[in-house]
mmCIF file of all heavy atoms in Angstrom:
data_model
loop_
_atom_site.group_PDB
_atom_site.id
_atom_site.type_symbol
_atom_site.label_atom_id
_atom_site.label_comp_id
_atom_site.label_asym_id
_atom_site.label_seq_id
_atom_site.Cartn_x
_atom_site.Cartn_y
_atom_site.Cartn_z
ATOM 1 N N ALA A 101 52.032 27.230 78.190
ATOM 2 C CA ALA A 101 50.879 26.894 77.351
ATOM 3 C C ALA A 101 49.574 27.283 78.036
ATOM 4 O O ALA A 101 49.496 27.284 79.258
ATOM 5 C CB ALA A 101 50.884 25.390 77.091
ATOM 6 N N PRO A 102 48.484 27.627 77.316
ATOM 7 C CA PRO A 102 48.501 27.807 75.872
ATOM 8 C C PRO A 102 49.093 29.157 75.506
ATOM 9 O O PRO A 102 48.822 30.148 76.167
ATOM 10 C CB PRO A 102 47.015 27.746 75.511
ATOM 11 C CG PRO A 102 46.319 28.221 76.743
ATOM 12 C CD PRO A 102 47.155 27.818 77.903
ATOM 13 N N ALA A 103 49.852 29.164 74.399
ATOM 14 C CA ALA A 103 50.660 30.336 74.068
ATOM 15 C C ALA A 103 49.828 31.591 73.893
ATOM 16 O O ALA A 103 50.195 32.646 74.364
ATOM 17 C CB ALA A 103 51.454 30.056 72.805
ATOM 18 N N ASP A 104 48.646 31.484 73.258
ATOM 19 C CA ASP A 104 47.889 32.697 72.946
ATOM 20 C C ASP A 104 47.342 33.376 74.205
ATOM 21 O O ASP A 104 47.140 34.572 74.228
ATOM 22 C CB ASP A 104 46.767 32.385 71.947
ATOM 23 C CG ASP A 104 45.910 31.244 72.409
ATOM 24 O OD1 ASP A 104 46.349 30.535 73.356
ATOM 25 O OD2 ASP A 104 44.831 31.058 71.858
ATOM 26 N N GLU A 105 47.119 32.617 75.263
ATOM 27 C CA GLU A 105 46.625 33.265 76.493
ATOM 28 C C GLU A 105 47.748 33.865 77.315
ATOM 29 O O GLU A 105 47.608 34.877 77.973
ATOM 30 C CB GLU A 105 45.932 32.223 77.377
ATOM 31 C CG GLU A 105 44.488 32.026 77.014
ATOM 32 C CD GLU A 105 43.887 30.911 77.847
ATOM 33 O OE1 GLU A 105 44.359 30.685 78.973
ATOM 34 O OE2 GLU A 105 42.966 30.261 77.348
ATOM 35 N N ASP A 106 48.899 33.162 77.308
ATOM 36 C CA ASP A 106 49.950 33.541 78.238
ATOM 37 C C ASP A 106 50.912 34.600 77.712
ATOM 38 O O ASP A 106 51.579 35.266 78.480
ATOM 39 C CB ASP A 106 50.769 32.306 78.619
ATOM 40 C CG ASP A 106 50.449 31.878 80.035
ATOM 41 O OD1 ASP A 106 49.372 32.271 80.501
ATOM 42 O OD2 ASP A 106 51.268 31.171 80.648
ATOM 43 N N ASP A 107 50.996 34.709 76.398
ATOM 44 C CA ASP A 107 51.993 35.623 75.845
ATOM 45 C C ASP A 107 51.454 37.042 75.728
ATOM 46 O O ASP A 107 50.315 37.237 75.327
ATOM 47 C CB ASP A 107 52.434 35.139 74.468
ATOM 48 C CG ASP A 107 53.382 33.952 74.603
ATOM 49 O OD1 ASP A 107 53.618 33.524 75.750
ATOM 50 O OD2 ASP A 107 53.849 33.476 73.582
ATOM 51 N N ASP A 108 52.280 37.995 76.061
ATOM 52 C CA ASP A 108 51.855 39.371 75.854
ATOM 53 C C ASP A 108 52.344 39.840 74.483
ATOM 54 O O ASP A 108 52.891 39.061 73.704
ATOM 55 C CB ASP A 108 52.367 40.289 76.985
ATOM 56 C CG ASP A 108 53.866 40.436 76.973
ATOM 57 O OD1 ASP A 108 54.506 40.029 75.971
ATOM 58 O OD2 ASP A 108 54.409 40.934 77.952
ATOM 59 N N ALA A 109 52.154 41.118 74.188
ATOM 60 C CA ALA A 109 52.457 41.602 72.842
ATOM 61 C C ALA A 109 53.919 41.380 72.463
ATOM 62 O O ALA A 109 54.254 41.208 71.296
ATOM 63 C CB ALA A 109 52.121 43.084 72.755
ATOM 64 N N ASN A 110 54.809 41.380 73.456
ATOM 65 C CA ASN A 110 56.225 41.209 73.136
ATOM 66 C C ASN A 110 56.645 39.748 73.119
ATOM 67 O O ASN A 110 57.820 39.433 73.029
ATOM 68 C CB ASN A 110 57.085 41.929 74.178
ATOM 69 C CG ASN A 110 56.756 43.390 74.211
ATOM 70 O OD1 ASN A 110 56.565 43.982 73.164
ATOM 71 N ND2 ASN A 110 56.660 43.955 75.401
ATOM 72 N N GLY A 111 55.692 38.863 73.317
ATOM 73 C CA GLY A 111 56.042 37.457 73.339
ATOM 74 C C GLY A 111 56.568 37.010 74.692
ATOM 75 O O GLY A 111 56.982 35.875 74.856
ATOM 76 N N ALA A 112 56.567 37.903 75.684
ATOM 77 C CA ALA A 112 57.080 37.508 77.004
ATOM 78 C C ALA A 112 55.912 37.088 77.891
ATOM 79 O O ALA A 112 54.782 37.479 77.673
ATOM 80 C CB ALA A 112 57.803 38.683 77.640
ATOM 81 N N SER A 113 56.209 36.259 78.896
ATOM 82 C CA SER A 113 55.161 35.824 79.796
ATOM 83 C C SER A 113 54.667 37.003 80.626
ATOM 84 O O SER A 113 55.477 37.775 81.141
ATOM 85 C CB SER A 113 55.706 34.742 80.724
ATOM 86 O OG SER A 113 54.853 34.613 81.824
ATOM 87 N N PRO A 114 53.333 37.168 80.773
ATOM 88 C CA PRO A 114 52.830 38.305 81.558
ATOM 89 C C PRO A 114 53.216 38.172 83.028
ATOM 90 O O PRO A 114 53.046 39.073 83.810
ATOM 91 C CB PRO A 114 51.318 38.225 81.360
ATOM 92 C CG PRO A 114 51.045 36.832 80.937
ATOM 93 C CD PRO A 114 52.275 36.334 80.246
ATOM 94 N N ARG A 115 53.719 36.989 83.428
ATOM 95 C CA ARG A 115 54.133 36.805 84.805
ATOM 96 C C ARG A 115 55.272 37.764 85.168
ATOM 97 O O ARG A 115 55.488 38.073 86.331
ATOM 98 C CB ARG A 115 54.586 35.360 84.989
ATOM 99 C CG ARG A 115 54.469 34.919 86.395
ATOM 100 C CD ARG A 115 54.702 33.456 86.517
ATOM 101 N NE ARG A 115 55.224 33.253 87.846
ATOM 102 C CZ ARG A 115 55.915 32.228 88.222
ATOM 103 N NH1 ARG A 115 56.185 31.272 87.390
ATOM 104 N NH2 ARG A 115 56.330 32.127 89.456
ATOM 105 N N GLY A 116 56.013 38.245 84.157
ATOM 106 C CA GLY A 116 57.053 39.221 84.425
ATOM 107 C C GLY A 116 58.299 38.589 85.017
ATOM 108 O O GLY A 116 58.422 37.375 85.097
ATOM 109 N N ASP A 117 59.218 39.459 85.424
ATOM 110 C CA ASP A 117 60.500 38.970 85.917
ATOM 111 C C ASP A 117 60.394 38.365 87.305
ATOM 112 O O ASP A 117 61.145 37.474 87.659
ATOM 113 C CB ASP A 117 61.495 40.137 85.999
ATOM 114 C CG ASP A 117 61.840 40.676 84.625
ATOM 115 O OD1 ASP A 117 61.708 39.911 83.648
ATOM 116 O OD2 ASP A 117 62.232 41.844 84.540
ATOM 117 N N MET A 118 59.482 38.883 88.102
ATOM 118 C CA MET A 118 59.501 38.552 89.526
ATOM 119 C C MET A 118 58.550 37.409 89.855
ATOM 120 O O MET A 118 57.500 37.266 89.247
ATOM 121 C CB MET A 118 59.056 39.767 90.350
ATOM 122 C CG MET A 118 59.885 41.007 90.152
ATOM 123 S SD MET A 118 61.500 40.850 90.898
ATOM 124 C CE MET A 118 61.055 40.682 92.622
ATOM 125 N N SER A 119 58.922 36.648 90.886
ATOM 126 C CA SER A 119 57.965 35.713 91.476
ATOM 127 C C SER A 119 56.976 36.540 92.294
ATOM 128 O O SER A 119 57.254 37.693 92.631
ATOM 129 C CB SER A 119 58.688 34.731 92.396
ATOM 130 O OG SER A 119 59.245 35.439 93.487
ATOM 131 N N MET A 120 55.843 35.941 92.627
ATOM 132 C CA MET A 120 54.867 36.699 93.419
ATOM 133 C C MET A 120 55.436 37.048 94.796
ATOM 134 O O MET A 120 55.297 38.159 95.292
ATOM 135 C CB MET A 120 53.570 35.910 93.561
ATOM 136 C CG MET A 120 52.572 36.345 92.496
ATOM 137 S SD MET A 120 51.470 35.060 91.964
ATOM 138 C CE MET A 120 50.688 34.527 93.413
ATOM 139 N N ARG A 121 56.136 36.056 95.404
ATOM 140 C CA ARG A 121 56.670 36.367 96.741
ATOM 141 C C ARG A 121 57.820 37.369 96.657
ATOM 142 O O ARG A 121 58.005 38.201 97.536
ATOM 143 C CB ARG A 121 57.060 35.110 97.495
ATOM 144 C CG ARG A 121 58.043 34.209 96.806
ATOM 145 C CD ARG A 121 58.290 32.978 97.647
ATOM 146 N NE ARG A 121 58.781 31.878 96.832
ATOM 147 C CZ ARG A 121 59.317 30.790 97.321
ATOM 148 N NH1 ARG A 121 59.405 30.626 98.618
ATOM 149 N NH2 ARG A 121 59.743 29.833 96.545
ATOM 150 N N GLY A 122 58.594 37.292 95.544
ATOM 151 C CA GLY A 122 59.675 38.257 95.366
ATOM 152 C C GLY A 122 59.129 39.663 95.207
ATOM 153 O O GLY A 122 59.640 40.614 95.794
ATOM 154 N N GLN A 123 58.045 39.768 94.414
ATOM 155 C CA GLN A 123 57.435 41.072 94.195
ATOM 156 C C GLN A 123 56.908 41.650 95.504
ATOM 157 O O GLN A 123 57.084 42.833 95.805
ATOM 158 C CB GLN A 123 56.288 40.937 93.183
ATOM 159 C CG GLN A 123 55.763 42.272 92.686
ATOM 160 C CD GLN A 123 56.826 43.045 91.920
ATOM 161 O OE1 GLN A 123 57.368 42.544 90.952
ATOM 162 N NE2 GLN A 123 57.130 44.254 92.389
ATOM 163 N N ARG A 124 56.298 40.776 96.300
ATOM 164 C CA ARG A 124 55.748 41.234 97.575
ATOM 165 C C ARG A 124 56.866 41.715 98.506
ATOM 166 O O ARG A 124 56.738 42.727 99.202
ATOM 167 C CB ARG A 124 54.989 40.062 98.223
ATOM 168 C CG ARG A 124 54.212 40.493 99.409
ATOM 169 C CD ARG A 124 53.098 39.548 99.711
ATOM 170 N NE ARG A 124 52.361 40.066 100.836
ATOM 171 C CZ ARG A 124 51.515 39.357 101.532
ATOM 172 N NH1 ARG A 124 51.270 38.110 101.205
ATOM 173 N NH2 ARG A 124 50.888 39.895 102.548
ATOM 174 N N LEU A 125 57.964 40.954 98.506
ATOM 175 C CA LEU A 125 59.113 41.339 99.333
ATOM 176 C C LEU A 125 59.575 42.754 98.983
ATOM 177 O O LEU A 125 59.789 43.588 99.867
ATOM 178 C CB LEU A 125 60.267 40.344 99.092
ATOM 179 C CG LEU A 125 61.576 40.647 99.820
ATOM 180 C CD1 LEU A 125 61.470 40.224 101.276
ATOM 181 C CD2 LEU A 125 62.747 39.944 99.170
ATOM 182 N N ILE A 126 59.685 43.015 97.681
ATOM 183 C CA ILE A 126 60.181 44.327 97.254
ATOM 184 C C ILE A 126 59.130 45.412 97.531
ATOM 185 O O ILE A 126 59.445 46.486 98.035
ATOM 186 C CB ILE A 126 60.552 44.301 95.747
ATOM 187 C CG1 ILE A 126 61.602 43.205 95.488
ATOM 188 C CG2 ILE A 126 61.034 45.653 95.256
ATOM 189 C CD1 ILE A 126 62.844 43.281 96.350
ATOM 190 N N ASP A 127 57.853 45.097 97.253
ATOM 191 C CA ASP A 127 56.793 46.093 97.471
ATOM 192 C C ASP A 127 56.704 46.500 98.944
ATOM 193 O O ASP A 127 56.403 47.635 99.272
ATOM 194 C CB ASP A 127 55.430 45.527 97.044
ATOM 195 C CG ASP A 127 55.329 45.422 95.534
ATOM 196 O OD1 ASP A 127 56.195 45.994 94.843
ATOM 197 O OD2 ASP A 127 54.396 44.749 95.053
ATOM 198 N N GLU A 128 56.915 45.525 99.838
ATOM 199 C CA GLU A 128 56.718 45.810 101.258
ATOM 200 C C GLU A 128 58.038 46.038 101.996
ATOM 201 O O GLU A 128 58.070 46.044 103.222
ATOM 202 C CB GLU A 128 55.940 44.647 101.906
ATOM 203 C CG GLU A 128 54.532 44.535 101.334
ATOM 204 C CD GLU A 128 53.753 43.338 101.883
ATOM 205 O OE1 GLU A 128 54.215 42.693 102.830
ATOM 206 O OE2 GLU A 128 52.666 43.076 101.329
ATOM 207 N N ALA A 129 59.126 46.201 101.246
ATOM 208 C CA ALA A 129 60.442 46.317 101.889
ATOM 209 C C ALA A 129 60.480 47.476 102.874
ATOM 210 O O ALA A 129 59.971 48.554 102.593
ATOM 211 C CB ALA A 129 61.519 46.492 100.826
ATOM 212 N N GLY A 130 61.073 47.235 104.048
ATOM 213 C CA GLY A 130 61.107 48.287 105.068
ATOM 214 C C GLY A 130 62.497 48.864 105.260
ATOM 215 O O GLY A 130 62.679 49.801 106.026
ATOM 216 N N VAL A 131 63.474 48.316 104.574
ATOM 217 C CA VAL A 131 64.859 48.700 104.850
ATOM 218 C C VAL A 131 65.104 50.166 104.469
ATOM 219 O O VAL A 131 64.580 50.654 103.473
ATOM 220 C CB VAL A 131 65.829 47.734 104.121
ATOM 221 C CG1 VAL A 131 65.758 47.876 102.619
ATOM 222 C CG2 VAL A 131 67.242 47.898 104.621
ATOM 223 N N SER A 132 65.860 50.861 105.325
ATOM 224 C CA SER A 132 66.068 52.295 105.130
ATOM 225 C C SER A 132 67.428 52.550 104.493
ATOM 226 O O SER A 132 68.404 51.864 104.781
ATOM 227 C CB SER A 132 65.995 52.987 106.500
ATOM 228 O OG SER A 132 66.476 54.303 106.402
ATOM 229 N N ALA A 133 67.474 53.570 103.642
ATOM 230 C CA ALA A 133 68.744 53.902 102.979
ATOM 231 C C ALA A 133 69.733 54.488 103.981
ATOM 232 O O ALA A 133 70.932 54.378 103.828
ATOM 233 C CB ALA A 133 68.490 54.889 101.855
ATOM 234 N N ARG A 134 69.200 55.118 105.041
ATOM 235 C CA ARG A 134 70.101 55.700 106.050
ATOM 236 C C ARG A 134 70.089 54.828 107.292
ATOM 237 O O ARG A 134 69.036 54.394 107.750
ATOM 238 C CB ARG A 134 69.637 57.113 106.405
ATOM 239 C CG ARG A 134 70.093 58.122 105.373
ATOM 240 C CD ARG A 134 69.549 59.494 105.679
ATOM 241 N NE ARG A 134 70.033 60.032 106.950
ATOM 242 C CZ ARG A 134 69.517 61.105 107.531
ATOM 243 N NH1 ARG A 134 68.530 61.745 106.969
ATOM 244 N NH2 ARG A 134 69.994 61.529 108.674
ATOM 245 N N GLN A 135 71.234 54.534 107.836
ATOM 246 C CA GLN A 135 71.331 53.625 108.980
ATOM 247 C C GLN A 135 72.006 54.283 110.183
ATOM 248 O O GLN A 135 72.381 53.605 111.134
ATOM 249 C CB GLN A 135 72.133 52.370 108.585
ATOM 250 C CG GLN A 135 71.434 51.479 107.584
ATOM 251 C CD GLN A 135 70.207 50.797 108.165
ATOM 252 O OE1 GLN A 135 70.168 50.450 109.350
ATOM 253 N NE2 GLN A 135 69.177 50.618 107.359
ATOM 254 N N TRP A 136 72.140 55.578 110.154
ATOM 255 C CA TRP A 136 72.886 56.231 111.240
ATOM 256 C C TRP A 136 72.375 57.648 111.411
ATOM 257 O O TRP A 136 72.119 58.329 110.420
ATOM 258 C CB TRP A 136 74.389 56.241 110.887
ATOM 259 C CG TRP A 136 75.278 56.815 111.945
ATOM 260 C CD1 TRP A 136 75.955 57.997 111.880
ATOM 261 C CD2 TRP A 136 75.578 56.244 113.211
ATOM 262 N NE1 TRP A 136 76.658 58.201 113.033
ATOM 263 C CE2 TRP A 136 76.455 57.143 113.874
ATOM 264 C CE3 TRP A 136 75.191 55.080 113.867
ATOM 265 C CZ2 TRP A 136 76.944 56.897 115.150
ATOM 266 C CZ3 TRP A 136 75.692 54.838 115.138
ATOM 267 C CH2 TRP A 136 76.561 55.732 115.770
ATOM 268 N N GLY A 137 72.204 58.074 112.637
ATOM 269 C CA GLY A 137 71.786 59.452 112.898
ATOM 270 C C GLY A 137 70.578 59.473 113.813
ATOM 271 O O GLY A 137 69.914 58.459 114.015
ATOM 272 N N ALA A 138 70.286 60.660 114.387
ATOM 273 C CA ALA A 138 69.123 60.805 115.262
ATOM 274 C C ALA A 138 67.875 60.605 114.418
ATOM 275 O O ALA A 138 67.795 61.163 113.329
ATOM 276 C CB ALA A 138 69.127 62.209 115.868
#
Side-chain angles (χ1 to χ4, degrees):
D104 52 346
E105 274 176 28
D106 253 21
D107 284 3
D108 67 12
N110 301 319
S113 162
R115 205 171 152 202
D117 294 336
M118 302 288 297
S119 65
M120 264 149 57
R121 56 182 157 166
Q123 191 63 57
R124 189 158 182 195
L125 177 78
I126 303 306
D127 288 348
E128 295 176 9
V131 67
S132 167
R134 279 176 63 192
Q135 292 292 326
W136 183 250

